[in-house]
């Protein structure tokens, strides 16, 4: 008898230990359709299956997910769609076309399926998040780039192959494959169906739609069904771990380069310092997420996305997948800072000079397209509410005053460079708009880096409190040096005759 | 009976497991004053409270801390200050002004408190560390910058806003907010009281001193009470985790940028490689810290700060918060390498030409202000003692010989650039000292990067054995290219007439 | 009785818990010789001993290692060498010279030992890996550099100290200490014995061979016994953790800088994103290594080295220490991309113009020295087999098509820069080959970065799917800007008279 007791106790203890190291979900039965998928795919794509088996999707049912306390719920559907309540969320639950013939739907054994899972698929269980994300700048990242002729001109002069020809350097239009792994890797490609491929496999012959723009998981991907975005950009397939979505590494995939160095700022911030040193002791999967207890410094998600509570269960911040809900200035990607755009579709913006930019070249905002001061204030209040979970009001006010100051100072440094650039255009030392690209010549690229790299970096360093990126690591040092470099470049050409524009 | 035994055994086991994953501290009672703070602040600043509750401060008493074996002690006080022995170290223990009216003390409910905890507060339990730190260069980081006119001139030409005016580019003096998040973020601000703010809160109305230069946790912060430094720079509030202070991320907050890329070197060193791959299996909280057992490669703290022992309990290195105790050369931040300064106040240094620099522009050391060869040797012996815990003498000697060689070679590359710079000044291609800033023009900034970025990086890469930073990642490649670039810049202006200095 | 049972059960449980956190090896007895080493070295080099005690070497015997299932085996010897089967692999097992008098063997107490453990030492238990590695480019990294006069000319103009002399800048030949911590840190030094040093220690006086080129653990190190390579480059002493060899940090020690930014690409890839966020839940020590279960995204080792299986135990990829077995293009380190070399000794390669390069300056491959299309295809098939463990065929094909496109586009951008460089040489604006170095002048260094930094980075970003490094972080942005910068440099010197070559 006591042997049995000991054994039972040990088993219990082992289970408790196990429970402490894995998501506390019980097993869930698979639907027949999902089981049919698994029968072959456990061999055809074993890594995907094994990864998915670790997911909450594989271990819980929608019924169980819906039964949780409101603040603890990870699904926002009011009820389970017919026939989905009591099984795991498996291959079939996301990849079956379910009576809607999409452009990329195809017959695959007994099922009509589609490869490209799109936000409407996720919306069956997560409708609130899908709707919020539709209102988010990021879901329009593809169109905001390709429908803005000025940005496309920049993309051409980044990605187009150059050739030394008789009349000088010629820049070709960039090819689709290059664009797909360059700008559109993060912005998202347009995925279209272009006929079919026949595939011989161990399980028979299949005809599969040929997808162009594939693979891609960019945040603003244009899907074959016409929807925008890829939830998988942050909720990586096929484990869809909330711990991963909350980790700063996820955002760093697109927010690390010199044009948008948010992650680099985080790395040298006190927040980052605490995260890297201490996160192995944090609970990154708790819903809701308790500030100070589950985590002792914010990750990107904590400030910008997640539902946060305090130790008493009071809500610190609402969950939002319209990531700009807590952002009141647009600090990056453009020549000058400006209030956030009203519409997630920024390709509609025109400044006073008719250019598709939120400010003129001397910094005047295209106010009609941008949020007003009251909305800025609402968003700032949401963000500072997050700050105040761990910081005193005076701390937060001091920090915010510095940010406003830095926005002004960095814009002034861009203005100085832009005035020099305009002088170069005026004097014919370079050829710019109207009529010529402002992005192709060497000196123009020097000017571009002033705003696209150095001013962005300085503002991010201020906003997220990581000093290095605002000083010697592509910050103020470079802002100051670049103005002098442009001056030096012009001085040397003081008496040069105007030159014809080199190549296209 | 056996049921009870099993239960007891399981409880014991669970406790043992728990003890293995958290600091082995038992709960400690809170003082009445701390409890009064918590009553409101659990709601007012819940993240701080939750964070602090994870700290050793919250879980132990000074009496218990003082009762440990000497080598295991984390406090250096000889005895507990009156009335503090038997309670946790909470809000009140650090934030109460205790009869000393500081400039930032204020009446807060029943208590006189101060917001800015300063080294004298910490010294009540950690007096030895506070004293050591006072002798440390880092505690003087604020004054060493702002009282050195040459450095302030550099800071102006990094942080000052430039404007295109009639006579050319004008550089304004940098504003305080910019300085605070630029140079002074790490060096420390001067925090002063400037009147008071009234604050309406859920708990009533409060009058709180308005602090300028706040927030800040720079290593050389000048506190309202006149003391220097912020222990919180490395011992991050409010968990004050020793694991965090020992993690390289902590140092990286200020030692990562191109001017002082220690962390970047660590990242590509074998030491870093081992740390990143293996540290999840290390014991980062043990005191004393056993080389090879608790950790298998040093972090920054292991080489520069921590008390280290070997497996037999023999002391490998004494704890020191005068971080330069194991550093015999000053490798960064200045034009040439030099022996470490004697005094932590470097603003007193004058070279043979009267400049506030430890060497002349041709590299001659201001020997009277610098440690002598005997002291260099003592410090080197301390450091190599750490190395030899895991490396043979021949390994260490070979490594040290390379460092000395690289100090010479990198200084020679700076000399070549400096001679070119001086030629440019002589020929009037740029305007330098005396009479004009050596830091404002483009070509001068090219010269600055030679010593401030590339030579520093090369020497750090040698000292900490991370090759990349000494070769193609801002190391020798850039040192060599920059000399040629300066030559190229001069060649092009061979026949140029001397030009007037552009703007201030 | 029940007390004993409980005690036993608890012991069992503790062991199970312990087993879950450490390699599942039981203790192994030490050989007498190893015990003799330990008697002194536990005090002489305590860190090494403590580190080794954590190793599988210290915890297992060769007999036990040989007894495992073939796929689970970590040794490739068919049988244990005489007398080694039943003891741990300790100091003596690797450092005793065993009757072979090597140049660096020396008498040390009762034993003839050598400091530098070389691949033949490791081959006693791991002969297959040692043989594979001998066929690997990396094992020849030292000779491939020092026996290629063109590379050595580049190394001179990176590492040589420059001096401003009467006739202009003079570049000295780099000294051995600099080379050892610069290029040869990763490529490997040549270690030779140069007399002996006498050493007074706590354990008596010793005479120890003086080693030149020491310390070093470069991948192509030339050892005193004439063998090539250092297994310790990746299998770090003295824990030799397989988890560490599989971690991306290990490769980053040499593959992070701008010349070979593989690790930086990994950091911004989805694979890296998953690794950093999730690896604490992975099993990095399992042999064989199961895709999707033990790890959910590849590390460097997964794609390039490790034995991989799927959940059914089917082999996905064979283990290979000839790292290029799954690589069909050589993307870095050279002016243009080319098929991988046939021989690991690349110093034998000559292009059509007689230069020691795999292509001519206009990109024509030295086909006789490079693998043919059929071998390229075999290697590509091995790699895509790894991809397909987790990705669909269409995904993989799309990715591979992009890589081929990017190889062509990046080579075209190098060609444009090279044509400008050649024009500069032709017009006498710089002096190049034949007769003068192509690497010493400023403009030549601008050209070098085009292929050594930017084109490499762009191709790596494509191959490993980390967009940032192919766009604004030293990728296409820099490729495009640099071509225009070279043009700008030439334009300014349009009417300049040819100049004499500056210094050597």
């Amino acid at each position: 008898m006591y042997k049995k007791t000991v054994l039972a106790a040990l088993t219990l203890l082992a289970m408790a230990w196990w429970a402490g190291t894995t998501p506390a979900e019980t097993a869930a039965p698979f639907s027949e359709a999902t089981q049919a998928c698994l029968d072959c795919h456990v061999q055809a794509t074993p890594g995907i299956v094994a990864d998915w088996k670790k997911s909450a999707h594989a271990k819980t049912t929608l019924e169980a997910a819906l039964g949780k306390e409101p603040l603890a719920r990870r699904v926002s559907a009011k009820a389970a769609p017919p026939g989905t309540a009591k099984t795991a969320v498996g291959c079939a639950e996301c990849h079956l076309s379910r009576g809607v013939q999409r452009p990329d739907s195809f017959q695959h054994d007994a099922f009509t399926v589609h490869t490209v899972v799109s936000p409407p698929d996720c919306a069956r269980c997560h409708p609130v998040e899908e709707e919020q994300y539709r209102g988010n700048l990021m879901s329009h990242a593809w169109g905001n780039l390709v429908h803005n002729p000025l940005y496309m001109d920049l993309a051409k002069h980044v990605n187009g192959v150059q050739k030394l020809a008789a009349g000088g350097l010629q820049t070709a239009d960039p090819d689709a494959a290059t664009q797909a792994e360059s700008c559109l890797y993060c912005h998202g490609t347009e995925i279209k169906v272009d006929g079919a491929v026949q595939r011989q496999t161990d399980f028979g012959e299949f005809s599969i739609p040929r997808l162009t723009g594939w693979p891609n998981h960019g945040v603003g991907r244009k899907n074959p069904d016409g929807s925008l975005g890829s939830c998988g950009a942050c909720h990586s397939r096929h484990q869809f771990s909330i711990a991963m979505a909350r980790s700063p590494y996820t955002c760093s995939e697109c927010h690390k380069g010199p044009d948008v160095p948010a992650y680099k700022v985080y790395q040298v911030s006190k927040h980052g310092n605490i995260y890297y040193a201490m996160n192995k002791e944090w609970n990154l999967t708790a819903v809701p997420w308790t500030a100070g207890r589950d985590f002792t410094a914010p990750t990107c998600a904590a400030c910008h996305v997640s539902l946060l509570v305090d130790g008493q269960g009071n809500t610190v911040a609402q969950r939002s997948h319209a990531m700009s809900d807590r952002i009141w200035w647009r600090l990056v990607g453009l020549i000058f800072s400006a209030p956030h755009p009203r519409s997630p579709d920024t390709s509609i913006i025109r400044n006073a000079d008719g250019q598709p930019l939120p400010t003129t070249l001397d910094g005047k905002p295209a106010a009609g397209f941008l949020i007003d001061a009251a909305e800025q204030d609402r968003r700032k209040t949401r963000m500072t509410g997050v700050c105040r979970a761990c910081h005193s009001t005076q701390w937060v006010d001091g920090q915010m005053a510095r940010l406003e100051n830095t926005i002004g100072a960095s814009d002034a440094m861009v203005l100085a460079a832009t005035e020099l650039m305009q002088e170069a255009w005026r004097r014919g030392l370079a050829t710019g708009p109207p009529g010529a690209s402002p992005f192709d010549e060497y000196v123009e690229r020097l000017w571009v880096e002033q705003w696209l790299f150095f001013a962005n970096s300085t503002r991010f360093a201020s906003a997220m409190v990581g000093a290095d990126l605002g000083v010697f690591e592509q910050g103020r040092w470079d802002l100051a040096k670049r103005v002098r470099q442009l001056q030096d470049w012009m001085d040397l050409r003081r008496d040069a005759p105007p030159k014809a524009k080199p190549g296209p």
Side-chain angles (χ1 to χ4, degrees), chain A:
Chain A
M1 171 62 192
Y2 50 77
K3 277 186 189 168
K4 276 189 191 159
T5 309
V6 169
L7 207 66
L10 289 173
T11 307
L12 205 71
L13 207 74
M15 281 170 64
W17 174 76
W18 177 252
T21 62
T22 61
E25 311 288 353
T26 53
F30 303 158
S31 68
E32 272 179 47
T34 285
Q35 190 55 59
C37 301
L38 291 172
D39 287 347
C40 299
H41 275 275
V42 72
Q43 221 174 302
T45 53
I48 297 179
V49 172
D51 191 24
W52 167 77
K53 281 193 173 169
K54 295 173 192 278
S55 72
H57 278 173
K59 293 177 188 160
T60 194
T61 64
L62 190 45
E63 186 173 61
L66 284 164
K68 296 195 171 178
E69 287 298 309
L71 278 181
R73 236 172 256 167
R74 300 179 184 207
V75 291
S76 55
K78 298 229 159 83
T84 66
K86 292 178 188 299
T87 56
V89 180
C91 324
E93 282 64 32
C94 302
H95 284 279
L96 285 198
S97 295
R98 303 185 174 275
V100 182
Q101 187 67 26
R102 302 185 183 191
D104 61 331
S105 295
F106 63 106
Q107 197 62 24
H108 191 58
D109 275 339
F111 303 102
T112 305
V113 303
H114 50 268
T115 301
V116 184
V117 172
S118 68
D121 291 308
C122 305
R124 298 178 76 226
C125 300
H126 307 281
V128 172
E129 289 68 32
E130 188 265 348
E131 190 187 346
Q132 289 171 340
Y133 191 70
R134 254 189 285 139
N136 183 351
L137 213 59
M138 292 168 75
S139 65
H140 284 69
W142 171 77
N144 286 349
L145 184 63
V146 305
H147 295 143
N148 185 317
L150 204 61
Y151 295 175
M152 287 311 280
D153 186 49
L154 177 58
K156 170 178 173 172
H157 292 293
V158 175
N159 294 324
V161 168
Q162 295 181 45
K163 204 175 153 178
L164 199 57
L169 288 166
Q170 304 286 334
T171 303
D173 285 324
D175 59 82
T178 294
Q179 289 282 66
E181 68 175 26
S182 177
C183 306
L184 302 182
Y185 177 84
C186 288
H187 281 257
T189 55
E190 182 177 17
I191 299 178
K192 290 202 282 199
V193 176
D194 175 31
V197 283
Q198 295 301 113
R199 182 97 54 215
Q200 294 288 351
T201 79
D202 292 350
F203 308 95
E205 187 176 353
F206 294 101
S207 174
I208 296 171
R210 178 186 289 116
L211 300 173
T212 60
W214 186 251
N216 182 264
H217 53 247
V219 292
R221 191 177 70 188
K222 188 165 182 196
N223 299 305
D225 65 2
S227 67
L228 299 177
S230 162
C231 302
C234 307
H235 299 276
S236 296
R237 297 154 311 123
H238 279 93
Q239 191 169 340
F240 310 103
S241 158
I242 194 170
M244 184 167 162
R246 284 169 170 177
S247 102
Y249 305 113
T250 294
C251 308
S252 85
E253 201 178 330
C254 289
H255 293 210
K256 190 176 184 192
D259 51 322
V260 47
Y263 181 76
K264 284 194 174 174
V265 170
Y266 185 73
Q267 285 184 303
V268 293
S269 72
K270 180 58 84 185
H271 290 160
N273 173 195
I274 298 174
Y275 170 81
Y276 296 110
M278 307 304 288
N279 82 78
K280 60 188 164 189
E281 296 174 15
W282 293 2
N283 183 344
L284 287 158
T285 61
V287 175
W289 213 17
T290 305
R293 192 176 69 197
D294 292 330
F295 60 97
T296 60
T299 64
C300 317
C303 289
H304 294 290
V305 185
S306 299
L307 166 65
L308 303 182
V309 297
D310 66 18
Q312 269 86 37
N314 303 311
T315 298
V316 170
Q318 301 286 348
R319 182 185 293 121
S320 171
H321 280 67
M323 278 76 165
S324 47
D325 273 3
R326 306 179 199 162
I327 297 182
W328 58 105
W329 282 103
R330 194 152 180 226
L331 301 180
V332 297
L334 293 154
I335 301 174
F336 295 100
S337 315
H340 237 261
R342 283 181 200 273
S343 163
D345 177 0
T346 63
S347 68
I348 60 173
I349 295 175
R350 291 296 175 276
N351 68 15
D353 299 328
Q355 295 157 325
L357 291 170
T359 68
T360 55
L361 286 190
D362 55 2
K364 200 170 145 259
F369 295 94
L370 310 176
I371 61 172
D372 60 18
E375 175 61 16
Q376 281 194 297
D377 212 49
R378 274 189 294 276
R379 297 188 182 191
K380 182 178 175 182
T381 300
R382 281 188 209 112
M383 179 62 93
T384 54
V386 176
C387 306
R388 274 203 298 263
C390 298
H391 293 288
S392 72
T393 300
Q394 189 165 192
W395 181 287
V396 177
D397 290 351
Q399 164 58 22
M400 291 302 154
R402 286 182 190 158
L403 172 58
E404 298 290 329
N405 182 66
T406 292
I407 289 173
S410 61
D411 281 341
M413 292 298 276
V414 170
L415 185 64
T418 305
E419 287 177 354
L420 287 167
M421 188 70 250
Q422 288 175 310
E423 189 188 329
W425 285 329
R426 229 174 7 248
R427 286 171 45 196
L429 301 177
T431 58
S437 169
F439 302 133
D440 57 345
E441 293 166 77
Y442 174 59
V443 67
E444 291 166 337
R445 293 170 193 262
L446 293 179
W447 164 69
V448 167
E449 290 178 340
Q450 181 79 347
W451 46 270
L452 189 60
F453 292 0
F454 312 143
N456 284 355
S457 179
T458 301
R459 289 190 286 258
F460 263 20
S462 177
M464 299 166 58
V465 202
D468 254 7
L469 274 280
V471 193
F472 288 119
E473 183 82 36
Q474 75 189 43
R476 291 175 181 88
W477 171 258
D478 286 295
L479 278 175
K481 180 183 164 202
R482 184 53 52 90
V483 169
R484 296 292 174 156
Q485 183 177 9
L486 288 169
Q487 180 74 66
D488 188 80
W489 187 92
M490 305 249 299
D491 283 352
L492 199 57
R493 286 156 182 81
R494 199 164 291 280
D495 309 311
K499 62 168 175 169
K501 181 83 177 175

